[in-house]
Amino acid sequence: MTSGTRRGLEVRGLSVRSQTDDRNLIADVFLDARHGEVLWIVGPSGAGKTTLLRAIAGIEHIHGGSIVVDGRVLANSAVEVPPEERRVGMVFQNAALFPHLNAADNVAFGLNGGARLARTSRAQELLERVELAGVADRLPHTLSGGEAQRVALARALATDPDVMLLDEPFSGLDPQLRTDLAAATCRVLRESGTVAVLVGHNPEDAMRFADRISVMQGGTVLQLGTPHEIYAHPANAFCAGILGHVNRFPVQVHRGRVETPFGPVEAPGLADGSAAELLIREEGLLLGEGTLASVGSVRLLGALAVVEIRPSGEEMIFHARVPADAAPAPGSEVGIRLDPARAFVFPVGR
C-alpha cells in the first residue's frame, strides 16, 4: 500500500452495547490515529477505554459505526473482519507470556511458516529493538515486570501489525520503572511506523509521551488533540481536570467575566448572571506580587512543592504548585497572582 493511502485508523460513530443489559458501553465514538504516532486514551474506570480497544481488535462486536484502517473496512453494519485477519496487535496489562517458552520463543510464537532459523533471527531482532538482547534464553518467571512487558511488545510487533493496541501496559509498576518503560515503549512504537493506541491511567505520562490524547468519559470521546491543545484549551471542566490538579469553585458571570481573589477571569460566551465553575491549575497561581495570602501546609513532590494558601479575607483554600526551592515556609505570608492562561470558566454541568 502506498504512503498516500496509509490513512491510519479511522473510527466513526462507533457504538458497543452490553450483552447482558443492552446498555451502551461506548456510544458514537469518533477518533483517528496515524502511522508513527502514539494516541493515548485517558479517562476514569468505566469510561469505555478497554471496550474501544476490544472493538478495534475485533474481540467486541460493534452495534453501530465503523472501523477502518488504511482504507480497509474492519467493521461496519455489513462487515466484521475476524480478529485474526485484522492485522491488529494487542498488549494487555498482564504480559501473558507462555511460561514454558523462553523470551525468544515467546516472541517467535506468532511467526507462522518459514524456517526456524529465520523466526529465531526475527525474534532476536525484535528483542534488540526493545533493548532486551540479553534475555532471549530466559523464561518468563525470571523476568522483571518491565522486561516481561517489553517481551510482550516485541511479540506483538513480530507480525508487523498495521495497528498496535496497548491496554494499561504499565499498570502495577513502580513510578520510575513505569516512566522508563513508557518512554521506551513509545519510542519503539514510533520507530515501527505502526498506528499505536495506548490506554494508560497516568495523565502525566500521557502528557509527557503521547503525540495526541483522547479524553473519554461515559463511553464517549470528549476531546481529541495534542497534549498542549488539551492542557491549554480544554473542551470542558472534565478535560481540564484530567490532565493535572486544579482548584475548583463556583462563580457567577458578570459582564463577560468572573471575579476571583486574584483578579478577574474572562468568561466569553456565557450569559450575564449565569452560574459557572472556575478551574485554576495549581501551577496557574504564581508566588510573588499580588493578593496577600497566608501559607498553610507545604508538601514536597521532588523538584516541585504544593503549597496550601488562603487569600486574605477569604475562607476558601487554594493550592499552588511551585518549584521546591522557591516554596515559602508554613505560616508565612506571600503575594499570589493569577496566570489567566491557566484559568478556565465553564457553565455548570459541562
Side-chain angles (χ1 to χ4, degrees), residues 6 34-37 161-162 188-195:
R6 287 171 61 84
R34 306 156 188 156
H35 285 276
E37 76 164 358
D162 295 325
V188 170
L189 289 169
R190 290 188 185 98
E191 290 175 352
S192 73
T194 188
V195 174

Side-chain angles (χ1 to χ4, degrees), residues 242-263:
I242 200 168
L243 292 188
H245 296 283
V246 293
N247 298 281
R248 300 173 181 258
F249 59 99
V251 289
Q252 190 173 53
V253 179
H254 182 64
R255 294 183 178 177
R257 65 185 192 179
V258 300
E259 295 299 329
T260 81
F262 316 103

Side-chain angles (χ1 to χ4, degrees), residues 198-244:
L198 188 153
V199 165
H201 71 283
N202 190 287
E204 290 185 3
D205 287 345
M207 286 284 290
R208 185 171 177 179
F209 300 117
D211 296 295
R212 289 188 301 149
I213 296 173
S214 173
V215 181
M216 290 191 70
Q217 183 190 38
T220 191
V221 172
L222 301 182
Q223 189 170 4
L224 175 64
T226 66
H228 174 75
E229 287 168 346
I230 295 177
Y231 178 85
H233 307 287
N236 55 30
F238 181 84
C239 293
I242 200 168
L243 292 188

